[in-house]
Amino acid sequence: MNEQQKKIRAMLADRKGILLVHYYARPEIQEIADVLGDSLALAQAAARSDARVIVFAGVHFMAQSAAMLSPEKIVLLPRLDAGCPLADMAGPDAVRKMRQDHPDAVFVTYINSTAEVKAESDICCTSSNALKIIQALPPSKKAVMLPDGNLARHAAAATGREIIAWEGCCPIHQALTGEDVAARRREHPRAVFAAHPECRPEVLALADFVGSTSAILRFARETKAMEIIIGTEKGILTQLAKENPEKTFIPASDALFCDDMKKISLDDIERSLTTMQPVITVPRQVSEAAKKALDKMLAVS
Ligand code: 13P
């Protein structure tokens, strides 16, 4: 640990705080995490923790979810501009309108969404529990999944259920093409390919494994393959390399880099713990409804 990392750990101890870090965050922040995890693990950690302060090294919707799951805690997001373009692809008015068009459908909302959209939903999901949540719905029910169309199509194909897809996407995963994957496979003919379900259907069709960030980490530990092409944001390579020093990980494309997930630096965390700002809060009316959808997800997970 360098001096600044030590200082941040001491400040966290002093404020009874914990640092929750997503696998896509900068390596020097991953190193000092209390919990390093995928979206689901971080939401579960926020709900269970008895800390007084949660510092989130992720993006805005993750900190919002933590604030709703732990309303008694102070939730800090060191950079307010760390957003998620996918989350911004669905707004509450459009979701209300779609509910009118599909009055009998269950609205399953990806955690990569705003609190206002979660508040219009029946249940949330992440990429690690989406299939389980769809399978737990009554068989006669059709589902609307939002805002990630690729995740919705993957869930429909994997479960055989009727799912209406909202046409949003993560621009980072969407940028990965089948041609990129084919090129990497030509360069590394013995490699297997693991992809996140936010990738396009043509990319998922080429994958040896499809799963969330934590599922990709599990796959990488368990596979006998020594070379693995990775179809998700490059930040995950830090943990993949740490857990599997003998294996080689190849990003499926150089474009798999999320600026938003890399915004928060050690300086930002130190400043945030000094000023105890910016605090993420959600208006009570919104959070009451949105938390119900999050709680239902956690109950099924
Ligand atoms: P995970 O649930 O796999 O952590 O997905 C995070 C995410 O935001 C993908 O873009």
Side-chain angles (χ1 to χ4, degrees), residues 172-186:
I172 314 299
H173 287 90
Q174 185 74 3
L176 180 64
T177 65
E179 282 167 25
D180 294 328
V181 177
R184 292 294 90 74
R185 279 206 190 271
R186 278 196 296 277

Side-chain angles (χ1 to χ4, degrees), residues 99-157:
R99 287 207 84 124
Q100 283 166 9
D101 297 341
H102 301 282
D104 299 327
V106 179
F107 275 60
V108 181
T109 294
Y110 196 28
I111 198 160
N112 300 39
S113 56
T114 63
E116 287 74 12
V117 164
K118 289 184 178 79
E120 300 297 331
S121 311
D122 297 303
I123 185 165
C124 290
C125 73
T126 75
S127 50
S128 51
N129 60 20
L131 304 187
K132 196 172 173 185
I133 282 173
I134 293 292
Q135 278 157 343
L137 298 178
S140 59
K141 283 276 181 195
K142 70 179 170 195
V144 171
M145 276 186 91
L146 66 144
D148 191 307
N150 290 337
L151 177 67
R153 280 181 282 275
H154 169 67

